[in-house]
Short mmCIF file of all heavy atoms in Angstrom, two decimals:
data_model
loop_
_atom_site.label_atom_id
_atom_site.label_comp_id
_atom_site.label_asym_id
_atom_site.label_seq_id
_atom_site.Cartn_x
_atom_site.Cartn_y
_atom_site.Cartn_z
N THR A 1 -34.60 138.88 80.21
CA THR A 1 -33.74 139.28 81.32
C THR A 1 -34.19 138.65 82.63
O THR A 1 -35.39 138.62 82.93
CB THR A 1 -33.70 140.80 81.46
OG1 THR A 1 -33.22 141.37 80.23
CG2 THR A 1 -32.76 141.22 82.58
N LEU A 2 -33.21 138.18 83.37
CA LEU A 2 -33.40 137.62 84.70
C LEU A 2 -32.85 138.62 85.72
O LEU A 2 -31.83 139.26 85.48
CB LEU A 2 -32.64 136.30 84.81
CG LEU A 2 -32.61 135.60 86.15
CD1 LEU A 2 -33.98 134.98 86.45
CD2 LEU A 2 -31.51 134.54 86.16
N TYR A 3 -33.52 138.71 86.87
CA TYR A 3 -33.11 139.65 87.91
C TYR A 3 -32.97 138.95 89.26
O TYR A 3 -33.63 137.95 89.53
CB TYR A 3 -34.14 140.76 88.08
CG TYR A 3 -34.42 141.56 86.84
CD1 TYR A 3 -35.53 141.28 86.05
CD2 TYR A 3 -33.58 142.59 86.45
CE1 TYR A 3 -35.79 142.01 84.91
CE2 TYR A 3 -33.83 143.32 85.32
CZ TYR A 3 -34.94 143.04 84.55
OH TYR A 3 -35.21 143.76 83.42
N LEU A 4 -32.13 139.53 90.10
CA LEU A 4 -32.08 139.15 91.49
C LEU A 4 -32.02 140.43 92.32
O LEU A 4 -31.02 141.14 92.30
CB LEU A 4 -30.87 138.27 91.80
CG LEU A 4 -30.79 137.75 93.24
CD1 LEU A 4 -31.92 136.75 93.51
CD2 LEU A 4 -29.43 137.11 93.51
N GLN A 5 -33.10 140.72 93.03
CA GLN A 5 -33.13 141.84 93.95
C GLN A 5 -32.65 141.36 95.31
O GLN A 5 -33.22 140.43 95.87
CB GLN A 5 -34.55 142.40 94.07
CG GLN A 5 -34.70 143.55 95.05
CD GLN A 5 -33.98 144.79 94.60
OE1 GLN A 5 -34.08 145.20 93.45
NE2 GLN A 5 -33.22 145.41 95.50
N MET A 6 -31.62 142.00 95.82
CA MET A 6 -31.01 141.60 97.08
C MET A 6 -31.16 142.73 98.08
O MET A 6 -30.64 143.83 97.87
CB MET A 6 -29.54 141.26 96.89
CG MET A 6 -29.30 140.17 95.85
SD MET A 6 -27.56 139.70 95.73
CE MET A 6 -26.87 141.21 95.05
N ASN A 7 -31.86 142.47 99.16
CA ASN A 7 -32.08 143.44 100.23
C ASN A 7 -31.48 142.92 101.53
O ASN A 7 -31.20 141.74 101.68
CB ASN A 7 -33.57 143.70 100.42
CG ASN A 7 -34.23 144.28 99.21
OD1 ASN A 7 -33.63 145.06 98.46
ND2 ASN A 7 -35.50 143.93 98.99
N SER A 8 -31.33 143.82 102.49
CA SER A 8 -30.81 143.47 103.81
C SER A 8 -29.54 142.65 103.71
O SER A 8 -29.37 141.62 104.36
CB SER A 8 -31.88 142.71 104.61
OG SER A 8 -33.05 143.49 104.76
N LEU A 9 -28.63 143.12 102.91
CA LEU A 9 -27.41 142.35 102.64
C LEU A 9 -26.52 142.25 103.87
O LEU A 9 -26.43 143.18 104.68
CB LEU A 9 -26.65 142.98 101.48
CG LEU A 9 -27.27 142.70 100.11
CD1 LEU A 9 -26.76 143.68 99.07
CD2 LEU A 9 -26.97 141.26 99.68
N LYS A 10 -25.87 141.11 103.98
CA LYS A 10 -24.98 140.80 105.08
C LYS A 10 -23.59 140.53 104.55
O LYS A 10 -23.41 140.20 103.37
CB LYS A 10 -25.49 139.55 105.82
CG LYS A 10 -26.92 139.63 106.28
CD LYS A 10 -27.38 138.29 106.82
CE LYS A 10 -28.84 138.33 107.25
NZ LYS A 10 -29.29 137.02 107.76
N SER A 11 -22.60 140.63 105.42
CA SER A 11 -21.23 140.38 104.99
C SER A 11 -21.07 138.98 104.40
O SER A 11 -20.29 138.79 103.46
CB SER A 11 -20.25 140.58 106.14
OG SER A 11 -20.53 139.70 107.22
N GLU A 12 -21.81 138.01 104.91
CA GLU A 12 -21.71 136.66 104.40
C GLU A 12 -22.32 136.48 103.01
O GLU A 12 -22.20 135.41 102.42
CB GLU A 12 -22.33 135.65 105.39
CG GLU A 12 -23.74 135.98 105.81
CD GLU A 12 -23.80 136.70 107.15
OE1 GLU A 12 -23.00 137.64 107.36
OE2 GLU A 12 -24.63 136.31 107.99
N ASP A 13 -22.97 137.52 102.49
CA ASP A 13 -23.45 137.49 101.12
C ASP A 13 -22.35 137.85 100.12
O ASP A 13 -22.59 137.78 98.91
CB ASP A 13 -24.62 138.45 100.94
CG ASP A 13 -25.85 138.04 101.73
OD1 ASP A 13 -26.16 136.83 101.76
OD2 ASP A 13 -26.50 138.93 102.31
N THR A 14 -21.20 138.25 100.61
CA THR A 14 -20.09 138.57 99.72
C THR A 14 -19.70 137.34 98.91
O THR A 14 -19.39 136.29 99.46
CB THR A 14 -18.89 139.07 100.52
OG1 THR A 14 -19.22 140.30 101.16
CG2 THR A 14 -17.68 139.29 99.62
N ALA A 15 -19.73 137.48 97.60
CA ALA A 15 -19.49 136.35 96.71
C ALA A 15 -19.49 136.84 95.27
O ALA A 15 -19.88 137.98 94.98
CB ALA A 15 -20.57 135.28 96.89
N VAL A 16 -19.08 135.96 94.39
CA VAL A 16 -19.31 136.15 92.97
C VAL A 16 -20.64 135.49 92.63
O VAL A 16 -20.86 134.32 92.96
CB VAL A 16 -18.19 135.56 92.11
CG1 VAL A 16 -18.50 135.72 90.63
CG2 VAL A 16 -16.86 136.24 92.44
N TYR A 17 -21.51 136.24 91.99
CA TYR A 17 -22.84 135.77 91.67
C TYR A 17 -22.94 135.45 90.18
O TYR A 17 -22.49 136.24 89.34
CB TYR A 17 -23.89 136.82 92.04
CG TYR A 17 -24.13 136.91 93.53
CD1 TYR A 17 -23.17 137.43 94.38
CD2 TYR A 17 -25.33 136.46 94.08
CE1 TYR A 17 -23.38 137.49 95.75
CE2 TYR A 17 -25.55 136.53 95.45
CZ TYR A 17 -24.57 137.04 96.28
OH TYR A 17 -24.80 137.11 97.63
N TYR A 18 -23.54 134.31 89.88
CA TYR A 18 -23.70 133.86 88.51
C TYR A 18 -25.16 133.59 88.20
O TYR A 18 -25.87 133.00 89.01
CB TYR A 18 -22.95 132.54 88.28
CG TYR A 18 -21.47 132.58 88.51
CD1 TYR A 18 -20.93 132.28 89.75
CD2 TYR A 18 -20.60 132.90 87.47
CE1 TYR A 18 -19.57 132.30 89.97
CE2 TYR A 18 -19.24 132.92 87.67
CZ TYR A 18 -18.73 132.62 88.93
OH TYR A 18 -17.36 132.64 89.13
N CYS A 19 -25.60 133.99 87.03
CA CYS A 19 -26.84 133.44 86.52
C CYS A 19 -26.51 132.20 85.70
O CYS A 19 -25.40 132.06 85.16
CB CYS A 19 -27.64 134.45 85.69
SG CYS A 19 -26.80 135.10 84.23
N ALA A 20 -27.44 131.28 85.63
CA ALA A 20 -27.18 130.01 84.98
C ALA A 20 -28.43 129.47 84.31
O ALA A 20 -29.54 129.59 84.83
CB ALA A 20 -26.67 128.99 86.01
N LYS A 21 -28.23 128.87 83.16
CA LYS A 21 -29.29 128.28 82.36
C LYS A 21 -29.24 126.77 82.47
O LYS A 21 -28.19 126.17 82.21
CB LYS A 21 -29.13 128.68 80.90
CG LYS A 21 -30.05 127.93 79.95
CD LYS A 21 -29.65 128.17 78.51
CE LYS A 21 -30.44 127.27 77.56
NZ LYS A 21 -30.08 125.84 77.75
N PRO A 22 -30.33 126.12 82.83
CA PRO A 22 -30.35 124.66 82.84
C PRO A 22 -30.31 124.10 81.43
O PRO A 22 -31.03 124.57 80.54
CB PRO A 22 -31.68 124.31 83.52
CG PRO A 22 -32.17 125.58 84.13
CD PRO A 22 -31.61 126.69 83.29
N GLY A 23 -29.47 123.09 81.23
CA GLY A 23 -29.47 122.36 79.98
C GLY A 23 -30.39 121.16 80.02
O GLY A 23 -30.87 120.71 78.98
N SER A 24 -30.61 120.65 81.21
CA SER A 24 -31.50 119.51 81.39
C SER A 24 -32.09 119.55 82.78
O SER A 24 -31.51 120.13 83.70
CB SER A 24 -30.77 118.19 81.15
OG SER A 24 -29.73 118.02 82.09
N VAL A 25 -33.23 118.92 82.92
CA VAL A 25 -33.91 118.84 84.19
C VAL A 25 -34.35 117.40 84.40
O VAL A 25 -34.97 116.80 83.52
CB VAL A 25 -35.14 119.76 84.27
CG1 VAL A 25 -35.82 119.64 85.62
CG2 VAL A 25 -34.74 121.20 83.99
N THR A 26 -34.02 116.86 85.54
CA THR A 26 -34.46 115.53 85.93
C THR A 26 -35.37 115.65 87.14
O THR A 26 -35.01 116.30 88.12
CB THR A 26 -33.28 114.61 86.25
OG1 THR A 26 -32.41 114.53 85.12
CG2 THR A 26 -33.77 113.22 86.61
N ARG A 27 -36.52 115.05 87.05
CA ARG A 27 -37.47 115.08 88.16
C ARG A 27 -37.47 113.73 88.87
O ARG A 27 -37.80 112.71 88.27
CB ARG A 27 -38.86 115.43 87.65
CG ARG A 27 -38.93 116.84 87.08
CD ARG A 27 -40.24 117.12 86.37
NE ARG A 27 -40.30 118.49 85.89
CZ ARG A 27 -39.77 118.90 84.74
NH1 ARG A 27 -39.15 118.05 83.95
NH2 ARG A 27 -39.87 120.17 84.39
N VAL A 28 -37.08 113.77 90.12
CA VAL A 28 -36.98 112.56 90.92
C VAL A 28 -37.65 112.82 92.26
O VAL A 28 -37.31 113.77 92.96
CB VAL A 28 -35.52 112.13 91.15
CG1 VAL A 28 -35.46 110.89 92.02
CG2 VAL A 28 -34.82 111.90 89.83
N ALA A 29 -38.60 111.96 92.61
CA ALA A 29 -39.27 112.03 93.91
C ALA A 29 -39.82 113.43 94.17
O ALA A 29 -39.73 113.94 95.29
CB ALA A 29 -38.33 111.59 95.02
N GLY A 30 -40.37 114.04 93.14
CA GLY A 30 -41.00 115.33 93.31
C GLY A 30 -40.07 116.52 93.32
O GLY A 30 -40.53 117.66 93.49
N THR A 31 -38.78 116.29 93.15
CA THR A 31 -37.82 117.38 93.12
C THR A 31 -37.20 117.50 91.73
O THR A 31 -37.10 116.51 91.00
CB THR A 31 -36.71 117.20 94.16
OG1 THR A 31 -35.96 116.01 93.86
CG2 THR A 31 -37.31 117.07 95.55
N GLU A 32 -36.79 118.70 91.39
CA GLU A 32 -36.15 118.96 90.11
C GLU A 32 -34.65 119.14 90.29
O GLU A 32 -34.21 119.86 91.18
CB GLU A 32 -36.74 120.21 89.45
CG GLU A 32 -38.21 120.06 89.10
CD GLU A 32 -38.76 121.23 88.32
OE1 GLU A 32 -38.10 122.29 88.29
OE2 GLU A 32 -39.85 121.09 87.74
N HIS A 33 -33.90 118.47 89.44
CA HIS A 33 -32.45 118.53 89.48
C HIS A 33 -31.95 119.12 88.17
O HIS A 33 -32.17 118.55 87.11
CB HIS A 33 -31.86 117.14 89.70
CG HIS A 33 -32.33 116.49 90.96
ND1 HIS A 33 -31.60 116.52 92.11
CD2 HIS A 33 -33.46 115.80 91.23
CE1 HIS A 33 -32.26 115.87 93.06
NE2 HIS A 33 -33.40 115.43 92.55
N TYR A 34 -31.31 120.26 88.27
CA TYR A 34 -30.83 120.96 87.09
C TYR A 34 -29.36 120.67 86.83
O TYR A 34 -28.55 120.63 87.76
CB TYR A 34 -30.97 122.47 87.25
CG TYR A 34 -32.38 123.01 87.33
CD1 TYR A 34 -32.58 124.34 87.71
CD2 TYR A 34 -33.49 122.24 87.03
CE1 TYR A 34 -33.86 124.86 87.79
CE2 TYR A 34 -34.77 122.75 87.11
CZ TYR A 34 -34.95 124.07 87.49
OH TYR A 34 -36.22 124.59 87.57
N GLU A 35 -29.02 120.51 85.57
CA GLU A 35 -27.64 120.56 85.12
C GLU A 35 -27.50 121.79 84.24
O GLU A 35 -28.22 121.93 83.25
CB GLU A 35 -27.27 119.30 84.34
CG GLU A 35 -27.25 118.05 85.18
CD GLU A 35 -26.72 116.84 84.44
OE1 GLU A 35 -26.35 116.99 83.25
OE2 GLU A 35 -26.68 115.76 85.04
N TYR A 36 -26.59 122.67 84.61
CA TYR A 36 -26.46 123.95 83.93
C TYR A 36 -25.47 123.86 82.79
O TYR A 36 -24.34 123.40 82.98
CB TYR A 36 -26.03 125.03 84.93
CG TYR A 36 -27.03 125.20 86.05
CD1 TYR A 36 -26.76 124.73 87.33
CD2 TYR A 36 -28.24 125.83 85.81
CE1 TYR A 36 -27.69 124.88 88.35
CE2 TYR A 36 -29.17 125.99 86.83
CZ TYR A 36 -28.89 125.51 88.10
OH TYR A 36 -29.81 125.66 89.10
N ASP A 37 -25.89 124.31 81.63
CA ASP A 37 -25.00 124.24 80.47
C ASP A 37 -24.41 125.59 80.08
O ASP A 37 -23.44 125.62 79.32
CB ASP A 37 -25.69 123.57 79.28
CG ASP A 37 -26.94 124.28 78.80
OD1 ASP A 37 -27.38 125.26 79.43
OD2 ASP A 37 -27.49 123.85 77.77
N TYR A 38 -24.99 126.68 80.57
CA TYR A 38 -24.44 128.00 80.28
C TYR A 38 -24.50 128.86 81.53
O TYR A 38 -25.46 128.79 82.31
CB TYR A 38 -25.19 128.69 79.13
CG TYR A 38 -24.92 128.03 77.80
CD1 TYR A 38 -25.78 127.08 77.29
CD2 TYR A 38 -23.78 128.35 77.07
CE1 TYR A 38 -25.54 126.46 76.09
CE2 TYR A 38 -23.53 127.74 75.86
CZ TYR A 38 -24.41 126.79 75.37
OH TYR A 38 -24.15 126.18 74.17
N TRP A 39 -23.47 129.70 81.66
CA TRP A 39 -23.29 130.54 82.83
C TRP A 39 -22.99 131.97 82.42
O TRP A 39 -22.33 132.21 81.41
CB TRP A 39 -22.13 130.06 83.69
CG TRP A 39 -22.30 128.67 84.22
CD1 TRP A 39 -22.17 127.50 83.54
CD2 TRP A 39 -22.62 128.32 85.57
NE1 TRP A 39 -22.40 126.44 84.38
CE2 TRP A 39 -22.67 126.91 85.62
CE3 TRP A 39 -22.86 129.05 86.73
CZ2 TRP A 39 -22.96 126.23 86.80
CZ3 TRP A 39 -23.14 128.37 87.89
CH2 TRP A 39 -23.19 126.97 87.93
N GLY A 40 -23.47 132.91 83.20
CA GLY A 40 -23.02 134.27 83.05
C GLY A 40 -21.56 134.40 83.45
O GLY A 40 -20.95 133.47 84.00
N GLN A 41 -21.00 135.57 83.17
CA GLN A 41 -19.57 135.77 83.45
C GLN A 41 -19.28 135.94 84.93
O GLN A 41 -18.11 135.89 85.34
CB GLN A 41 -19.05 136.98 82.66
CG GLN A 41 -19.35 138.35 83.27
CD GLN A 41 -20.70 138.91 82.92
OE1 GLN A 41 -21.62 138.19 82.53
NE2 GLN A 41 -20.84 140.23 83.06
N GLY A 42 -20.30 136.14 85.72
CA GLY A 42 -20.15 136.37 87.14
C GLY A 42 -19.97 137.84 87.45
O GLY A 42 -19.38 138.60 86.69
N THR A 43 -20.51 138.25 88.59
CA THR A 43 -20.33 139.63 89.04
C THR A 43 -20.07 139.63 90.54
O THR A 43 -20.71 138.90 91.31
CB THR A 43 -21.56 140.49 88.69
OG1 THR A 43 -21.29 141.86 89.02
CG2 THR A 43 -22.81 140.04 89.42
N GLN A 44 -19.10 140.43 90.95
CA GLN A 44 -18.70 140.49 92.36
C GLN A 44 -19.67 141.34 93.16
O GLN A 44 -19.99 142.47 92.78
CB GLN A 44 -17.29 141.08 92.48
CG GLN A 44 -16.81 141.23 93.92
CD GLN A 44 -16.53 139.91 94.58
OE1 GLN A 44 -15.86 139.05 94.00
NE2 GLN A 44 -17.03 139.73 95.80
N VAL A 45 -20.13 140.79 94.27
CA VAL A 45 -20.90 141.52 95.26
C VAL A 45 -20.10 141.51 96.55
O VAL A 45 -19.78 140.45 97.07
CB VAL A 45 -22.29 140.90 95.48
CG1 VAL A 45 -22.99 141.57 96.67
CG2 VAL A 45 -23.13 141.02 94.22
N THR A 46 -19.77 142.69 97.03
CA THR A 46 -19.02 142.81 98.27
C THR A 46 -19.84 143.61 99.26
O THR A 46 -20.23 144.75 98.98
CB THR A 46 -17.66 143.49 98.04
OG1 THR A 46 -16.91 142.74 97.09
CG2 THR A 46 -16.89 143.59 99.35
#
């Protein structure tokens, strides 16, 4: 299980939130670039 604890929420945080699984990772110049192959169904945060 993955979690996201959200505190001090603001109106601009209103969105549909998705968890996502990387299918591949490319490392370039010290940074990681993810391509996501699976997504959660999304959940509304208002």
Side-chain angles (χ1 to χ4, degrees):
T1 301
L2 176 73
Y3 302 99
L4 184 68
Q5 178 67 46
M6 303 184 292
N7 298 326
S8 301
L9 285 162
K10 307 172 182 179
S11 60
E12 53 262 45
D13 295 318
T14 295
V16 177
Y17 285 70
Y18 300 91
C19 60
K21 170 191 172 293
S24 62
V25 180
T26 302
R27 295 171 178 83
V28 179
T31 63
E32 296 186 345
H33 301 263
Y34 294 169
E35 293 187 1
Y36 300 106
D37 60 354
Y38 290 95
W39 299 75
Q41 80 275 20
T43 186
Q44 178 70 47
V45 172
T46 302

